[in-house]
Structure formats: structure tokens, C-alpha cells
Amino acid sequence: ASISVDRIALGGISIDSSLKYVRSIYGSPNHIDSYAKGSCWKLKYGDGFFVWASSRGGANYEKGTYYVDQVIADKDNGIATPDGIKVGMKENIIEDTYGEPFSMHRRDGLLLYWYFDNSGQDKLLEIGVSDGIIREIRCVQADD
């Protein structure tokens, strides 16, 4: 029902990675949208790879730096989890890799497998499936 927090990432990007780190790997995004009066950003890299980020307060965060809130892959573009799971793979690989999900839900025509981290940080790996194929993978801070 839960997995280690280091398994909740996509394309080498995890929740709380800095945008500086994201850009060091992927360079400049293809498209940027801002929302929440400029305090949050949605960046698109290539086809079907998205990174949401916002500024943070507190001792663990550098002022003026944006940190990843959410990472999504929704195309078969080679972006994978640390375990090698990516869009386009067959559904049975999910439980073979992560075990039984914490819970399952339906949204927008997808059956969603939910795996929370076991560190108590409420990070979520969500894998969406339709017709037996993985269609979307999302890593997100669960309380967002």
C-alpha cells in the first residue's frame, strides 16, 4: 500500500526538487504558464511532460526559489519512474512493480492506482490506466 519516497519521481524529478535542478536536466521549457498571481508555474517540456512548481516558505527552502509540486507524463515519451514504469506499458506491470495500491479511483475515464510514500510526507504516485494500458503517471504532494 505504500512505497519508499525515492520511488515517487518522473524523469529524475521528484516533489520538492528545485526548478534550478529541473532546468539543469531539461533546459528551458517549451511553454510556461503562471497562475496564483505568479507564485506558481506550470512548465511543459516536450510532448506530454509537465512540471508544476511554486515558491515555499520555511527554513528548508531557499527564498526566491521555486520547488516542484507535481510532475506528470501523459504521453509515451520515454519519461519513466525510478522503477522504469512509463506511459504506454501494460497495466499488469503496476502491481508487479509496486504491489497492491493503497486505493483505486476513477477520474476522466482513467482507473487510477494510488501509492503513497511510507515516510509520512504524503507524497503520491498516481498511475492512470485505460484499456489495459498506462495513460498517465503523476507524482504530487497529496495534500495539495
Side-chain angles (χ1 to χ4, degrees):
S2 65
I3 59 176
S4 64
V5 71
D6 60 329
R7 297 173 81 187
I8 301 178
L10 268 173
I13 307 301
S14 58
I15 304 305
D16 282 339
S17 293
S18 71
L19 276 191
K20 291 175 187 175
Y21 176 71
V22 173
R23 288 180 186 215
S24 76
I25 296 174
Y26 292 102
S28 296
N30 298 60
H31 184 80
I32 301 173
D33 286 321
S34 70
Y35 55 100
K37 298 181 182 175
S39 65
C40 300
W41 299 88
K42 177 182 176 186
L43 296 80
K44 179 180 181 188
Y45 287 95
D47 189 27
F49 185 49
F50 304 90
V51 176
W52 277 259
S54 63
S55 59
R56 303 266 204 290
N60 295 331
Y61 300 103
E62 183 180 328
K63 187 174 180 174
T65 297
Y66 288 79
Y67 294 90
V68 173
D69 299 317
Q70 182 173 192
V71 186
I72 294 178
D74 66 5
K75 298 273 193 297
D76 185 358
N77 54 18
I79 300 294
T81 69
D83 293 292
I85 304 303
K86 57 188 177 180
V87 171
M89 294 179 121
K90 293 187 183 296
E91 179 177 13
N92 65 337
I93 194 76
I94 301 169
E95 288 195 41
D96 289 349
T97 302
Y98 299 110
E100 185 178 332
F102 175 82
S103 62
M104 297 178 80
H105 303 271
R106 290 205 174 270
R107 182 184 73 230
D108 300 329
L110 295 176
L111 175 62
L112 303 173
Y113 288 72
W114 279 14
Y115 295 91
F116 287 95
D117 75 278
N118 60 8
S119 71
Q121 296 179 38
D122 294 328
K123 292 176 179 17
L124 170 69
L125 173 65
E126 177 186 89
I127 303 173
V129 173
S130 68
D131 301 320
I133 302 294
I134 296 172
R135 306 292 179 180
E136 178 182 279
I137 302 171
R138 182 172 84 116
C139 301
V140 65
Q141 184 68 38
D143 59 13
D144 285 354

